[in-house]
């Protein structure tokens, strides 16, 4: 056909099809010239003439159909009339060729969207490294793919229907067609149907083919369908977006496809020599059928599950085990699993031998998060150790499921060691290879885990002196250094009585430094890490805020308006401690906050004890007062002693029955640990037990205890004011006495001193006038303090007995034994227990009492 004839026919065809715009006829002319087959030019010319003749006869009908197509967004064709010179089979082929364009574009579009989505996800996880992308021409040139090109079949010579050929000619023609179809090229009488979505490839066989030959052809065609599935899978998963594991799997399948292509090439050689019959083709292709079927099944499963990385390996591993008993299939799956696991195991080796994650495609079971280790020192709820590296469940291969936690811990240990500036060289490093015998790589992982555990534990325990640092914290936060606290509280007593806003932190820091140098704490090598911290809330508010973390009440408590009174320095005072990486893994802000709560609890108890002791000292002066004044003080002396007994026994219980035994358990456990997770677990358990047994995890008990402390403080303040009033009264009586008698009249100097004293006493009397006025009701005031203290103490003992019984908190019952050592409160507690039982009894009897009435 001449070039002019091609131009004329293409332009005529486009005008009849009402195709306008686009790139014009030149593109189609170039495609026809490039794909022109020399030995069928006459046939093509005749075939084109038939097409033009048919189109001219039906031009009017096509115009109407084109109008409908604009509405329905599709192109349809009417069946030709019996007078048409084009056959039905030729029309079907034309329709298939014209419709293949839209089908192929609809399949390619979701694949493009999927690749784009995967690229965006991977680039987001790898901000510093962009994922490489294939050139656009790879996706826009379908001829590069080994799958069927719909619309480019060899079936252009339709002048001789196959049904008219002798049986031998039919067989030789079909064998030739099958050899083409088996490598992804349409034959003349066997053509591939267009794909819709991810369905399996279907084929259209000439209906005029002899039934005996057609039956054998249908048995061979599943191999071509499997080849088409595998080829598409290889081309798709070879893209970077699907990860290294899928890429390795596709590469292994490509190797098997090459062997398959070699077989087909050998069969083609036999066919050219006339030595290949349809039966022989069926015989030679049978061993390959099982292989292609398994490959296609795996490809479909990976596609349906959208598997990547570890999930792909899980699928391959499970399929390998499922083929137990079928040695050939199992060996094939084992080969594919080994090949696909190579990049995954490379990531695994870097993680368990060096503590590094190199996972640009998010395929590994361990995921890295951007968290800063410096936040451990700032945020109470920072979960650096738990959230810096996490396990992605869907990326854990099923054969590594049991070892997932050890794999995670191994890399975390080595990563901490690396971040300390140390070189990590694992002496047991060895290549990890997939095998059906899991013990082989399980042993390697266990060896790496043991090494990582030991190297980090030795680093923290020996070089960073973790135990010595914990002892240092115990000295200060758990009030282990008695002489230091005596010095410190003596030095800061006046300063801490001020409102917290009036306190100068630098002054407290200087007094702390002085107390440290003047006590046995001077020998502590870590004393310089101790700092002062003035908290914005009292202990109860701090406890409630901590208990509300990650609960529904958290936002309400944090945003609540501060209704509390101005805190004093004593209520706000706490210690802080400087801790650096990697010790901050153990002594983090969360742990330090617990230490601070314990310290504030005990420090305030110590302050109340000192106040009560000061009252005891001031009460010694009451012996010189008149008898009626001493009589009033008798009840106050008794109450003060009861309060002092309560406070001292509570302190003894917390220090010697809770903290010391728990600390000894911690030290014993730290000698037996094998990794940092055990250290964290034992340290957290130590703090939790201390907080629980010191009543700091129970807001109800803590509020009752706080009320008791408040009563004690108010009582000490009242006693101090009363004692000061009595001193002033006595001083005033002494000043009103006149000098004289045996020593004669007072001198001028003595009169001057006496006038100064009188002025000072008058001023002090004016300041304490209210106290003097209350002297008459002193006995009633003491009785009120006594009743309040007794009420709260009985409430505390009652609640402790309930918790120790119902919640099995047996350590708390020791407080009851110490405070009620002589049975003084036993009778009252029994009475309260009986009342509680009586209140509960009617609720239990009520349903049974109402039953007869019903």
């Amino acid at each position: 056909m001449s070039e002019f004839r091609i131009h004329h026919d293409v332009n005529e065809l486009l005008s009849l099809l009402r195709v306008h715009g686009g790139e014009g006829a030149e593109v189609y002319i170039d495609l026809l010239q490039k794909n022109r087959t020399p030995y069928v030019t006459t046939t093509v010319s005749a075939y084109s003439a038939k097409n033009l003749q048919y189109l001219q006869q039906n031009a009017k009908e096509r115009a109407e159909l084109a109008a409908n197509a604009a509405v329905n967004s599709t192109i349809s064709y009417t069946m030709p009339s019996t007078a048409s010179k084009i056959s039905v089979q030729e029309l079907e082929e034309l329709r298939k060729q014209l419709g293949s364009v839209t089908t192929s574009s609809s399949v390619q579009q979701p694949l493009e969207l999927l690749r784009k989505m995967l690229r965006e996800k991977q680039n987001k996880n790898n901000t510093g490294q962009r994922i490489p992308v294939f050139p656009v021409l790879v996706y826009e040139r379908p001829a590069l793919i080994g799958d069927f090109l719909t619309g480019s079949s060899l079936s252009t010579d339709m002048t001789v229907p196959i049904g008219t050929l002798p049986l031998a000619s039919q067989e030789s023609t079909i064998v030739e067609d099958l050899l083409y179809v088996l490598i992804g090229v349409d034959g003349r009488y066997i053509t591939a149907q267009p794909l819709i979505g991810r369905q399996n490839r279907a084929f259209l066989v000439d209906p005029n083919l002899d039934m005996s030959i057609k039956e054998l052809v249908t048995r061979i065609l599943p191999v071509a369908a499997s080849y088409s599935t595998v080829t598409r899978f290889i081309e798709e998963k070879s893209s970077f977006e699907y990860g290294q594991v899928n890429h390795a799997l596709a590469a292994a399948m490509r190797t098997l496809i090459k062997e398959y292509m070699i077989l087909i090439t050998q069969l083609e050689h036999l066919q050219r020599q006339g030595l290949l019959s349809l039966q022989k083709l069926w015989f030679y292709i049978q061993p390959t059928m099982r292989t292609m079927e398994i490959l296609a099944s795996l490809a479909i499963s990976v596609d349906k599950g959208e598997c990547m990385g570890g999930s792909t390996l899980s699928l391959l591993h499970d399929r390998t085990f499922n083929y137990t008993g079928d040695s050939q299939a199992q060996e094939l799956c084992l080969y594919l699993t080994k090949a696909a696991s190579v990049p995954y195991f490379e990531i695994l080796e870097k993680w368990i031998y060096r503590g590094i994650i190199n996972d640009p495609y998010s395929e590994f079971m361990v995921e890295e998060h951007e968290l800063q280790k410096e936040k451990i020192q700032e945020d109470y709820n920072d979960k650096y150790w738990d959230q810096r590296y996490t396990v992605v469940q869907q990326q854990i291969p099923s054969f590594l499921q049991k070892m997932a936690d050890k794999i995670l811990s191994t890399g975390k240990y080595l990563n901490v060691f690396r971040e300390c500036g140390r070189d990590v060289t694992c002496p047991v490093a060895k290549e990890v290879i997939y095998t059906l015998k899991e013990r082989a790589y399980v042993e390697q992982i266990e060896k790496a885990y043991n090494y990582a555990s030991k190297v980090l534990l030795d680093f923290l325990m020996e070089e960073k002196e973790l135990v010595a640092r914990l002892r240092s914290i115990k000295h200060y936060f758990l009030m282990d250094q008695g002489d230091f606290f005596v010095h410190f509280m003596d030095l800061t007593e006046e300063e801490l009585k001020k409102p917290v806003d009036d306190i100068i932190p630098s002054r407290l820091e200087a007094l702390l430094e002085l107390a440290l140098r003047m006590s046995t704490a001077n020998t502590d090598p870590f004393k310089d890490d101790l700092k002062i911290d003035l908290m914005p809330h009292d202990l109860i508010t701090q406890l409630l805020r901590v208990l509300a973390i990650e609960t529904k009440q958290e936002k309400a408590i944090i945003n609540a308006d501060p209704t509390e009174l101005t805190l004093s320095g004593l209520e706000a005072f706490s210690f802080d401690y400087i801790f650096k990486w990697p010790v901050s893994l153990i002594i983090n802000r969360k742990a330090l906050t617990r230490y601070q709560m314990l310290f504030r609890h005990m420090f305030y108890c110590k302050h109340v004890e000192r106040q009560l002791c000061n009252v005891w000292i001031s009460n010694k002066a009451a012996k010189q007062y008149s008898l009626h004044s001493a009589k009033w003080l008798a009840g106050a002396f008794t109450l003060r002693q009861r309060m002092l007994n309560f406070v001292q026994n509570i302190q003894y219980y917390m220090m010697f029955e809770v903290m010391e035994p728990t600390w000894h358990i911690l030290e014993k456990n730290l000698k037996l640990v094998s990794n940092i997770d055990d250290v964290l677990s034992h340290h957290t358990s130590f703090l939790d037990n201390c907080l629980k047994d010191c009543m700091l995890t129970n807001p109800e008990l803590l509020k009752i205890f706080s009320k008791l402390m408040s009563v004690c403080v108010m009582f000490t303040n009242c006693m101090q004011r009363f004692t000061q009033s009595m001193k002033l009264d006595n001083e005033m009586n002494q000043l009103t006495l006149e000098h004289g008698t045996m020593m004669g009249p007072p001198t001028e100097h003595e009169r001057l001193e006496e006038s100064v004293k009188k002025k000072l006493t008058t001023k002090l009397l004016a300041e304490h006038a209210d106290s003097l006025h209350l002297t008459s009701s002193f006995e009633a005031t003491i009785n009120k303090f006594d009743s309040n203290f007794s009420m709260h103490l009985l409430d505390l003992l009652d609640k402790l007995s309930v918790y120790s019984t119902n919640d099995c908190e047996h350590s708390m019952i020791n407080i009851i034994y110490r405070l009620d050592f002589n049975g003084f409160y036993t009778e009252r507690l029994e009475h309260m227990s009986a009342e509680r039982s009586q209140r509960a009894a009617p609720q239990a009897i009520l349903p049974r009492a109402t039953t007869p009435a019903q």
Side-chain angles (χ1 to χ4, degrees), residues 201-326:
R201 179 73 71 180
F203 296 91
L204 181 65
V205 182
D206 193 311
N208 298 320
L209 186 65
D210 185 80
M211 290 301 297
S212 60
I213 298 176
K214 191 174 183 180
E215 179 65 25
L216 204 52
V217 167
T218 55
R219 295 184 187 180
I220 298 175
L221 284 179
V223 180
S226 297
Y227 168 81
S228 175
T229 301
V230 174
T231 303
R232 279 182 281 116
F233 176 84
I234 291 172
E235 295 299 331
E236 181 182 344
K237 302 306 178 186
S238 294
S239 298
F240 296 102
E241 293 86 358
Y242 294 94
Q244 299 178 77
V245 172
N246 284 339
H247 185 85
L249 175 62
M253 285 186 174
R254 195 188 298 275
T255 302
L256 296 174
I257 290 297
K258 286 180 180 178
E259 296 179 1
Y260 168 81
M261 296 297 287
I262 292 173
L263 171 64
I264 300 300
T265 303
Q266 292 173 349
L267 293 176
E268 286 178 351
H269 184 66
L270 291 175
Q271 190 265 340
R272 292 192 191 98
Q273 295 177 347
L275 301 176
L276 185 65
S277 64
L278 192 58
Q279 287 289 343
K280 283 186 178 181
L281 176 60
W282 168 242
F283 173 77
Y284 287 126
I285 208 69
Q286 279 191 67
T288 310
M289 288 188 69
R290 180 62 173 158
T291 301
M292 298 302 293
E293 180 187 348
I294 294 172
L295 293 180
S297 173
L298 288 173
I300 293 170
S301 299
V302 171
D303 269 342
K304 283 185 177 179
E306 296 182 357
C307 300
M308 283 184 65
S311 55
T312 300
L313 293 181
S314 294
L315 188 147
L316 292 172
H317 175 77
D318 295 341
R319 193 65 63 88
T320 304
F321 262 97
N322 291 341
Y323 284 130
T324 301
D326 187 345

Side-chain angles (χ1 to χ4, degrees), residues 542-679:
Q542 183 187 15
L543 175 67
L544 292 176
R545 288 168 69 93
V546 170
L547 291 177
I549 288 175
E550 294 184 351
T551 65
K552 295 179 180 178
Q553 293 82 18
E554 179 179 11
K555 196 171 183 180
I557 289 179
I558 291 176
N559 297 331
D561 294 331
T563 56
E564 58 192 359
L565 299 175
T566 303
L567 293 178
S568 66
L570 285 162
E571 293 171 319
F573 177 76
S574 181
F575 282 138
D576 200 359
Y577 200 85
I578 297 174
F579 43 91
K580 297 180 180 179
W581 181 265
V583 178
S584 57
L585 283 175
I586 310 299
I587 313 170
N588 50 34
R589 177 53 58 184
K590 189 173 183 178
L592 194 64
T593 302
R594 297 178 182 183
Y595 277 116
Q596 285 179 332
M597 288 193 291
L598 288 167
F599 170 77
R600 296 179 73 183
H601 190 48
M602 297 179 63
F603 185 75
Y604 197 72
C605 288
K606 195 70 177 176
H607 163 69
V608 174
E609 182 193 8
R610 285 169 62 89
Q611 292 295 97
L612 290 169
C613 288
N614 290 337
V615 171
W616 177 82
I617 294 172
S618 62
N619 286 345
K620 289 294 183 181
K623 293 181 179 180
Q624 61 184 335
Y625 302 151
S626 57
L627 183 60
H628 69 278
S629 298
K631 179 181 65 176
W632 292 348
L633 293 172
F637 292 169
T638 305
L639 180 58
R640 182 255 305 151
Q641 191 59 37
R642 286 175 58 204
M643 289 180 173
L644 190 60
N645 177 70
F646 166 73
V647 174
Q648 288 178 339
N649 277 287
I650 285 289
Q651 286 188 93
Y652 180 90
Y653 161 76
M654 290 191 294
M655 296 187 68
F656 296 102
E657 294 187 14
V658 175
M659 294 181 185
E660 281 299 325
T662 315
W663 172 260
H664 286 300
I665 293 173
L666 174 64
E667 279 195 323
K668 181 181 177 181
N669 289 333
L670 289 180
K671 294 177 181 177
L672 304 175
V673 294
S674 58
N675 56 64
I676 293 303
D677 283 307
D678 290 344
V679 175

Side-chain angles (χ1 to χ4, degrees), residues 130 181 428 569 601 720 728 782:
R130 305 295 293 179
V181 170
V428 295
H601 190 48
Q720 292 289 354
L728 292 172
I782 296 301

Side-chain angles (χ1 to χ4, degrees), residues 680-717:
L680 277 166
S681 175
H682 291 312
H683 185 239
T684 304
S685 177
F686 161 73
L687 290 172
D688 288 344
N689 290 334
C690 288
L691 288 168
K692 180 185 66 177
D693 293 339
C694 290
M695 301 177 287
L696 286 174
T697 56
N698 191 316
E700 188 177 8
L701 288 177
L702 186 60
K703 286 178 181 178
I704 298 173
F705 183 82
S706 179
K707 290 176 182 178
L708 280 167
M709 291 291 102
S710 298
V711 171
C712 293
V713 171
M714 293 169 65
F715 171 76
T716 58
N717 293 337

Side-chain angles (χ1 to χ4, degrees), residues 804-816:
S804 60
T805 304
N806 297 344
D807 299 341
C808 299
E809 302 294 346
H810 301 303
S811 59
M812 288 186 180
I813 206 169
N814 294 336
I815 306 177
I816 302 176

Side-chain angles (χ1 to χ4, degrees), residues 13-14 16-17 19 28 47 51 54-55 62 74-77 90-105 150-152 194:
L13 182 61
L14 291 176
L16 290 172
L17 289 175
V19 177
Y28 301 103
Y47 181 54
N51 282 344
Y54 168 70
L55 291 172
R62 287 183 180 279
T74 55
I75 298 176
S76 58
Y77 296 93
E90 291 172 337
L91 178 61
E92 288 295 331
E93 183 182 354
L94 178 63
R95 182 177 296 167
K96 182 185 70 173
Q97 292 175 0
L98 294 174
S100 64
V101 179
T102 56
T103 306
S104 60
S105 62
T150 309
S152 61

Side-chain angles (χ1 to χ4, degrees), residues 322-346:
N322 291 341
Y323 284 130
T324 301
D326 187 345
S327 58
Q328 182 182 357
Q330 189 176 48
E331 186 177 351
L332 174 63
C333 288
L334 183 61
Y335 164 75
L336 294 174
T337 311
K338 280 184 176 180
S341 65
V342 169
Y344 192 91
F345 280 145
E346 287 178 356

